[in-house]
Amino acid sequence: MPAVNNVLVVGSGLAGAATAIHLAKAGVAVDLIEIKPDVAALGSGITLQGNALRELRSLGVWEQVEAAGYAFDTTGIRAPDPNGTVVAEVSDARTGGPDLPAVMGMPRPELARILADRATEVGVEVRSGTTFTELAQDDDGVDVTFSDHSTGRYDVVVGADGLRSWTRRALGINLETRSVGMGIWRAFGPRPASVTRTDLYYGGPSYIAGYCPTGEDSLYAYIVEDAQDRSAMTPDEQLATMKQLSQAYHGPWDEIRETLTDPSRVNYTWFETHVLDEPWNRGRVVLIGDAAHTCPPTIAQGGAMALEDAVVLAELLVERHALDQDLWDAFHARRLERARTVVDASNQLAQWQLDHVQGDIPSLMRSIAILTSQPA
């Protein structure tokens, strides 16, 4: 018998959806609640490294992901000169194994839809536009009151509700989430034929200007600057600012810039970071994904770490026969230092850029590739 019979998952992002799918596949009754009314309505693009693709395959969605995304095996480095000159081409490690691409870009809403459909297919009860208002646990379970005034009792509650986790706050956990000092403009739009991989432009007026193909007809482009308060800008002003910053970058950027016409497809956020020290659980309530650890997207591992949390937690809940301290110790032993290493590396790369230091980026990336090529 598994350690749990029924589980509530809070949040339908990568960590939450993956946990729900893995548990439901194993015969556990799972309720998945999401405060947003439409889980596939928001977002631009996402870059998925091989270890993320490995976990998506374990969820049974690889064929859909492969069809919806855009795979590539090299990253280009370009100069901020009038021609966007390619100065280096880096072979990306196939951390998910030789039979998977090194990297894949895809639209975030499409990935969310694929995971939501898979969750429904395997029997997860999905409730959108819903959150909880109260958690009350005892030695045998957790009583939950929901925002629609319904109630439920669960063996475990999984808080996978992101950076500003309501579950984390409800548990009384004070975790400092700090700005790294960078802000990122992102835009989603059509893919020019010249864009067949991620290219990164270092230098110029911004720290990085890059793009990632997300499908045959789509990409997301991004520009990283000093973190600023851009909240007072109208959507039109945000679009104009991103286009103005992009004027320093050429090559495929000249084509991309011409397609930046829809203000609703531009957004601006800060790079933020935190790591929750052990334990990530309080009794029968556990935090995973961005609720427990988050990093700037400098090495594109945030989504992969969320997926890895999910597979490890689900595996332990299904394979162990008791929800005891040994189970939680095993979970933390497999996840805390691995996640912390990735967060630290992401922050180190960001700091090098902020300080204009020529750090040993190849060695840093090789170390992360070695780490993430091993199963979680």
Side-chain angles (χ1 to χ4, degrees), residues 58-184:
S58 76
L59 291 168
V61 297
W62 168 241
E63 290 184 359
Q64 298 96 308
V65 168
E66 184 180 28
Y70 195 102
F72 51 95
D73 293 311
T74 63
T75 295
I77 307 297
R78 291 179 180 261
D81 62 22
N83 298 312
T85 303
V86 176
V87 297
E89 293 181 329
V90 181
S91 294
D92 296 309
R94 292 195 169 206
T95 55
D99 56 339
L100 288 170
V103 188
M104 175 167 283
M106 68 181 303
R108 280 182 180 270
E110 183 64 14
L111 180 57
R113 184 195 63 76
I114 289 170
L115 291 174
D117 288 348
R118 179 61 171 158
T120 300
E121 179 185 342
V122 298
V124 177
E125 185 68 30
V126 181
R127 299 166 61 183
S128 299
T130 304
T131 188
F132 70 87
T133 57
E134 185 177 356
L135 301 174
Q137 60 176 309
D138 53 40
D139 291 342
D140 299 318
V142 186
D143 291 311
V144 181
T145 303
F146 297 99
S147 54
D148 61 2
H149 306 296
S150 64
T151 60
R153 183 170 173 83
Y154 301 90
D155 294 328
V156 163
V157 174
V158 179
D161 47 349
L163 182 70
R164 319 270 180 225
S165 172
W166 169 240
T167 308
R168 191 176 69 232
R169 294 197 296 273
L171 292 172
I173 297 173
N174 294 318
L175 178 63
E176 180 188 3
T177 301
R178 65 176 180 84
S179 169
V180 171
M182 291 174 163
I184 184 169

Side-chain angles (χ1 to χ4, degrees), residues 331-350:
F331 176 64
H332 293 118
R334 290 174 62 181
R335 292 309 306 150
L336 177 56
E337 285 310 311
R338 185 172 171 114
R340 192 194 304 276
T341 298
V342 167
V343 172
D344 288 348
S346 301
N347 289 335
Q348 185 175 23
L349 183 53

Side-chain angles (χ1 to χ4, degrees), residues 179-203:
S179 169
V180 171
M182 291 174 163
I184 184 169
W185 293 97
R186 292 185 176 96
F188 190 70
R191 180 184 72 88
S194 59
V195 175
T196 59
R197 66 185 182 197
T198 285
D199 284 332
L200 299 170
Y201 298 66
Y202 290 102

